[in-house]
Amino acid sequence: QVQLVESGGGLVQAGDSLRLSCATSGFTFSRYAMGWFRQAPGEERELVAAIALNGDVHDYPDSVKGRFTISRENAKNTVYLQMDSLEPADTAVYYCAASPLILFLVRMQVDYWGQGTQVTVSS
C-alpha cells in the first residue's frame, strides 16, 4: 500500500520558517522524482518544488525562489521542504507528490499524492 504522509505544517507569523516532511512507503522512493505542490482556497494547485532521483532540483517558481528549498533523503524514503521568510501568500495546503520524472510533476501527471498539510501564515 502506497503512503505519502506529510507533516510539519501549522500556523506561523510572517517571516517565520517551517520545515515540511513527507514520509513515504509502498513504492521504490529512490526511483521517483518528488515534488511539493500547494493549493490555496479558490486557486489551482501549483508546483512549488521538485527534485529528481539524483538530487537535481528543478527551478523554483519566482513566488518561492530564494525562500524554499527541497531536499530528499533516500535512506529514509523522505522528502523535505524548508520554507523560510514565509509570507501570508504562502498560506495553502501543501501536498507531497511522486512521479517517475520531474517532467511529469511539472505536467501534474502524478502517480502518488499525499493527503496534504495546512500551512497558514499570519501577517
Side-chain angles (χ1 to χ4, degrees):
Q1 180 181 2
V2 172
Q3 287 189 313
L4 289 78
V5 180
E6 300 97 334
S7 61
L11 172 63
V12 297
Q13 293 187 332
D16 287 349
S17 297
L18 280 175
R19 188 193 195 205
L20 305 184
S21 300
C22 174
T24 73
S25 61
F27 66 101
T28 306
F29 179 81
S30 60
R31 295 182 181 177
Y32 279 78
M34 298 298 299
W36 287 95
F37 290 78
R38 70 183 181 187
Q39 187 167 21
E43 302 289 333
E44 293 186 352
R45 193 171 295 190
E46 63 169 339
L47 178 67
V48 296
I51 187 166
L53 286 67
N54 63 357
D56 287 347
V57 176
H58 188 260
D59 285 344
Y60 298 93
D62 289 343
S63 57
V64 307
K65 191 174 295 183
R67 300 187 298 119
F68 287 15
T69 305
I70 189 172
S71 61
R72 65 188 297 158
E73 191 168 2
N74 287 349
K76 293 186 177 182
N77 296 334
T78 301
V79 61
Y80 306 97
L81 184 66
Q82 178 67 39
M83 305 187 295
D84 299 319
S85 303
L86 283 162
E87 304 169 354
D90 296 319
T91 295
V93 177
Y94 284 72
Y95 298 91
C96 174
S99 283
L101 296 174
I102 281 186
L103 177 62
F104 295 165
L105 291 171
V106 172
R107 294 175 176 175
M108 213 172 290
Q109 295 169 341
V110 173
D111 281 12
Y112 308 119
W113 288 102
Q115 83 289 349
T117 185
Q118 177 71 46
V119 171
T120 303
V121 184
S122 64
S123 57

